[in-house]
Amino acid sequence: MRKRRILCLVIIACSIIMMLSGCNTQNGGKQEKLKVGFIYIGTAGDAGYTQAHDKGRLYAQEKLGDKVELIYQENVSDTDDSCVPVIHSMIEQGCKVIFTNSYGYMDYTYDMAQEYPDVTFLHCSGSKSSDNMLNYFGRIYQARYLAGIVAGMKTETNKIGYVGAHPIPEVIRGINAFTLGVRSVNPDAVVEVVWTSTWYDPALEKSAAVSLLDKDCDVIAQHQDTTGPQTAAAERGKWCIGYNFDTRDVTPDSYMTAPIWNWGPYYADQIQKVLDGTWKSENYWGGMEDDIVQLAPLTKNAPEGAQAKVDEMKEKIISGEFKIFEGPIKDQNGEIRVPAGTVMTDEELLGFSWFVEGVNGVIPEN
Amino acid sequence: MIPFLKNALISGTPLVFAVLGTMYNEKAGNLNLGIEGLMLLGAVAGFQMAIITENPLLALLFAMIFGALGALIYAFLTVTLRANQSVTGLALTIFGTGLSRFWGKRLMGMVLSETFRSYFRPISVPFLTKIPILGPILSIFVEQDIFVYLSYLAVILSGIYLYHTRFGLNLRAVGENAAAADASGINVTLYKYIHILIGGALCGLGGAYLSLVYVPSWQDNITSGRGWIAIALVIFTSWNPYRAFWGAALFGGLDIIGFRIQTLNLPIAINQQFLRMLPYIATLLVIIVGSIRKTSNHMAPKDLGNPYLREER
């Protein structure tokens, strides 16, 4: 018995030493640097949503150099209040600016903004703002429209599969823009949608794509944060379109392009404004004209002529000559929902709850 | 229908290994809630080895070793130190998740070579699929990748081991009544250790199927809760390896049936979340029915969850 007790004590002692040696003591240091905290829903290396944000953070760090210190915390859940202690601790460490990058952080970020009026908060993809908190997002649907053009020109079966995450306006808007892009070059093609009800489950999202491939789809697009659907397409020798991040190396013989984020310039700009003291709480929904969303460079798998068509439409979107959600737009039943000559307002886009003609799928009621 | 059933088996394959792993733990009288952690350890270790050596056998071996190492921590704490099994298991899940995340950080975005992946392409068994009428049905089982065949082997060997060998009998005795097993000359500690380790190795294999074959790349939390499903599944299939196989295929099928229903374009939408809830409801029903009927051979090993202390005999 005694031996065992000694053994236990040794183990406990060892683990305490390990824990202590794990702590780093880099507190203190220079005060003049502006400290900025980023809170991420996923991992910085997920080749997806969070990595796109982290790339933006690294860009801003490089751009602003010694004037700022940009720290981050990854894997913070947004389905509960996990972000609150993280925000507290970042502010305790001296952060004057906090970025929170997922929808579910919205209410907590708002509460924190009330509690710390001298800290600047920037929340991604939400709808709340105050004097010291703004919300920002990008019109990724513009890039999805262009991706739709590529898919529409590529498909031979005229069936394109789309693996959707959750049936919320953001995803529905993306599917609709994609479908309009597809039909602009290939009016016979349809977009088959399945929902996974997950953002992040590599195996399940692959299964969803497999079910679409079994239904004869030969191009797979996705609104997911993993490369699961792309892998499924590659294994069948079919084609795929990614999301968030340029993932050409994962499935080099199948990947064509992806709607991707480019947060860097916006992050650098906002932090610079805080440095200058000119920051104002202005909500932001930037598009291709600001270069905040892009279509990743087309690969050799993309169809011939797609590059020219994409470039042409990209120009028109940037110049404002072409609006994606301009009527006439029909819904799935063939009824005109947006009459000719009208453009859907941002409010309508933010509350999208119906599919355009050409989508094969159902929006589940919640 | 055939493609769906084929995919149900594939989707169930990580579960088959995990549920067999859980079963060995529980047959030895130890409730291990660390299955999710063990699967993640196996997944990340196997993937690392596959990147370094591109050798499928070494990758699988490494996955098993790390699954077993994780289980060794659990065995040491619960068998030797007699720590609370539930708490230790939960800690193991947290530890495995954390370690795999830390380790996997440098593996993110890495791609397995074409050669490596070609080892896990579906192989169809000659002649069997050519049989008229029966052929297509058989193809569900015999047009699969090597891992799926390995799962058949694991199930059959487990069945033979548990019900037709002396060791299996002894193991079940340890789980049912450790004191009686000890009295009859069975080395309880050794049995517990060996089978917890075997269980860990199997869980590691289950995780490796996801990172090496199904996904195949390293992504954080690649198991997404399949370790917990395995713990439910072992109850659902009443600690029987053959039933475990069918149960895993059923749960795997439930996981993906929603997509097939969605592609039928029915006028109403069935909520995917509702379908994913069904495995747990089924498990609850089995527990309720089992406790009403009190059929002893379907119940859990009697000494499940109790630490065995010889002095207390």
Side-chain angles (χ1 to χ4, degrees):
Chain A
M1 229 24 221
R2 165 162 259 156
K3 256 190 203 158
R4 186 170 291 135
R5 201 167 293 161
I6 293 169
L7 190 61
C8 279
L9 281 174
V10 169
I11 291 173
I12 291 168
C14 285
S15 38
I16 289 175
I17 291 167
M18 273 167 68
M19 274 194 282
L20 287 178
S21 61
C23 296
N24 50 17
T25 47
Q26 56 165 20
N27 294 339
K30 289 165 228 153
Q31 285 298 311
E32 63 266 29
K33 270 190 185 177
L34 175 69
K35 218 167 178 183
V36 180
F38 287 77
I39 296 175
Y40 295 151
I41 177 86
T43 334
D46 64 355
Y49 186 75
T50 297
Q51 189 162 359
H53 283 276
D54 200 54
K55 212 177 142 201
R57 179 185 70 89
L58 293 170
Y59 174 92
Q61 179 75 70
E62 198 181 326
K63 190 98 190 285
L64 303 171
D66 283 347
K67 290 180 281 181
V68 293
E69 186 184 351
L70 310 182
I71 61 170
Y72 68 94
Q73 173 74 47
E74 49 190 7
N75 292 318
V76 180
S77 162
D78 79 338
T79 51
D80 53 32
D81 61 359
S82 320
C83 67
V84 172
V86 181
I87 293 176
H88 277 305
S89 110
M90 281 182 165
I91 291 172
E92 236 163 68
Q93 289 174 57
C95 285
K96 290 286 172 213
V97 184
I98 305 271
F99 286 85
T100 52
N101 87 342
S102 186
Y103 181 81
Y105 301 142
M106 178 167 68
D107 292 335
Y108 305 110
T109 311
Y110 185 80
D111 292 344
M112 290 290 109
Q114 307 308 307
E115 199 177 324
Y116 296 101
D118 54 338
V119 176
T120 304
F121 290 87
L122 296 96
H123 175 245
C124 183
S125 78
S127 57
K128 282 192 178 175
S129 58
S130 69
D131 284 347
N132 60 330
M133 171 185 170
L134 62 71
N135 64 66
Y136 66 96
F137 204 45
R139 295 174 192 269
I140 195 79
Y141 67 85
Q142 295 177 337
R144 287 195 190 280
Y145 180 88
L146 299 181
I149 293 175
V150 179
M153 292 172 85
K154 186 76 189 182
T155 179
E156 282 163 13
T157 59
N158 282 343
K159 276 187 179 177
I160 295 163
Y162 197 112
V163 185
H166 293 276
I168 60 173
E170 181 199 337
V171 183
I172 294 168
R173 185 168 66 235
I175 293 170
N176 285 337
F178 180 83
T179 307
L180 292 173
V182 167
R183 306 267 283 196
S184 73
V185 292
N186 185 349
D188 299 327
V190 291
V191 175
E192 303 272 350
V193 175
V194 295
W195 304 104
T196 62
S197 298
T198 58
W199 292 112
Y200 193 95
D201 183 338
L204 190 74
E205 287 152 17
K206 182 184 175 189
S207 305
V210 168
S211 72
L212 289 165
L213 291 160
D214 281 341
K215 223 195 154 191
D216 247 8
C217 296
D218 61 352
V219 178
I220 297 290
Q222 64 177 70
H223 194 134
Q224 305 278 190
D225 294 350
T226 73
T227 51
Q230 297 165 45
T231 313
E235 280 177 10
R236 295 283 181 95
K238 305 294 188 203
W239 318 105
C240 64
I241 288 171
Y243 173 46
N244 284 314
F245 203 74
D246 194 342
T247 49
R248 60 184 60 222
D249 300 333
V250 178
T251 52
D253 295 324
S254 169
Y255 169 95
M256 298 196 291
T257 182
I260 55 173
W261 298 99
N262 179 31
W263 294 113
Y266 179 71
Y267 285 173
D269 177 56
Q270 290 297 308
I271 297 168
Q272 184 64 50
K273 281 186 174 148
V274 175
L275 279 170
D276 297 344
T278 57
W279 186 88
K280 273 206 242 37
S281 171
E282 282 167 350
N283 295 337
Y284 178 79
W285 199 18
M288 294 189 97
E289 60 278 11
D290 300 341
D291 207 26
I292 197 121
V293 296
Q294 299 169 339
L295 188 69
L298 303 190
T299 66
K300 61 173 168 53
N301 305 316
E304 227 170 283
Q307 186 71 56
K309 183 76 184 157
V310 164
D311 288 343
E312 180 199 336
M313 294 316 289
K314 186 179 164 189
E315 280 307 309
K316 287 187 179 169
I317 290 172
I318 289 175
S319 69
E321 183 189 339
F322 173 72
K323 297 262 190 293
I324 292 167
F325 291 109
E326 183 175 348
I329 298 175
K330 289 181 184 167
D331 67 9
Q332 281 176 303
N333 305 324
E335 277 171 48
I336 294 203
R337 292 291 281 262
V338 185
T342 27
V343 180
M344 289 179 76
T345 62
D346 280 358
E347 254 96 291
E348 284 168 331
L349 291 182
L350 289 169
F352 235 133
S353 61
W354 49 274
F355 277 143
V356 300
E357 193 176 34
V359 179
N360 262 355
V362 187
I363 300 172
E365 309 223 348
N366 285 316
Chain B
M1 195 63 187
I2 302 282
F4 165 67
L5 292 175
K6 245 187 208 173
N7 278 300
L9 270 197
I10 294 173
S11 171
T13 297
L15 292 176
V16 174
F17 289 105
V19 76
L20 288 178
T22 318
M23 204 176 66
Y24 278 111
N25 270 286
E26 299 195 0
K27 288 275 185 196
N30 276 54
L31 176 69
N32 190 344
L33 299 180
I35 304 302
E36 178 87 355
L38 295 175
M39 287 178 82
L40 281 166
L41 281 178
V44 72
F47 190 77
Q48 172 78 71
M49 204 55 176
I51 289 285
I52 296 175
T53 65
E54 301 199 349
N55 182 325
L57 281 178
L58 279 179
L60 296 191
L61 191 68
F62 215 55
M64 290 174 74
I65 289 174
F66 267 78
L69 277 179
L72 184 63
I73 302 174
Y74 172 84
F76 177 69
L77 286 168
T78 57
V79 180
T80 306
L81 301 182
R82 297 189 198 90
N84 181 306
Q85 296 179 4
S86 310
V87 176
T88 311
L90 287 173
L92 187 61
T93 286
I94 298 169
F95 170 71
T97 313
L99 184 67
S100 70
R101 217 164 229 176
F102 175 69
W103 186 350
K105 242 184 132 76
R106 63 191 68 191
L107 298 174
M108 284 222 185
M110 286 195 184
V111 183
L112 293 171
S113 70
E114 241 350 85
T115 5
F116 184 89
R117 282 162 70 171
S118 68
Y119 294 117
F120 296 105
R121 294 269 148 73
I123 304 163
S124 79
V125 176
F127 309 120
L128 284 181
T129 49
K130 303 279 190 302
I131 305 169
I133 309 165
L134 262 181
I137 297 169
L138 279 175
S139 77
I140 298 167
F141 299 100
V142 297
E143 248 176 32
Q144 297 280 15
D145 61 66
I146 194 103
F147 234 109
V148 179
Y149 297 131
L150 211 58
S151 79
Y152 304 160
L153 192 69
V155 167
I156 293 167
L157 287 182
S158 296
I160 294 171
Y161 179 75
L162 283 174
Y163 300 118
H164 299 290
T165 67
R166 180 166 202 91
F167 301 114
L169 184 68
N170 289 350
L171 171 64
R172 286 186 288 144
V174 169
E176 290 296 331
N177 189 335
D182 195 9
S184 70
I186 299 169
N187 186 338
V188 173
T189 309
L190 185 67
Y191 263 84
K192 278 182 183 263
Y193 259 94
I194 288 176
H195 293 94
I196 291 172
L197 257 60
I198 293 176
L202 285 168
C203 293
L205 269 185
Y209 182 68
L210 290 167
S211 67
L212 295 179
V213 185
Y214 198 61
V215 171
S217 67
W218 174 254
Q219 306 207 350
D220 250 2
N221 199 13
I222 197 165
T223 50
S224 304
R226 284 174 182 76
W228 297 108
I229 295 219
I231 293 169
L233 192 55
V234 83
I235 302 167
F236 181 73
T237 56
S238 52
W239 294 266
N240 176 312
Y242 303 115
R243 282 191 205 162
F245 177 79
W246 298 111
L250 175 69
F251 280 27
L254 279 176
D255 223 16
I256 60 168
I257 197 168
F259 306 132
R260 307 280 160 170
I261 295 174
Q262 287 184 45
T263 53
L264 293 177
N265 287 323
L266 301 175
I268 45 141
I270 294 173
N271 198 316
Q272 175 68 12
Q273 264 135 354
F274 173 76
L275 290 168
R276 296 199 82 187
M277 194 171 72
L278 290 179
Y280 299 100
I281 294 180
T283 306
L284 274 180
L285 285 178
V286 168
I287 294 174
I288 293 166
V289 170
S291 66
I292 291 170
R293 283 166 57 197
K294 290 215 174 70
T295 41
S296 63
N297 60 334
H298 286 179
M299 300 293 274
K302 289 220 172 44
D303 246 355
L304 182 60
N306 302 331
Y308 174 60
L309 188 63
R310 197 176 220 180
E311 283 87 339
E312 281 174 2
R313 217 159 7 155

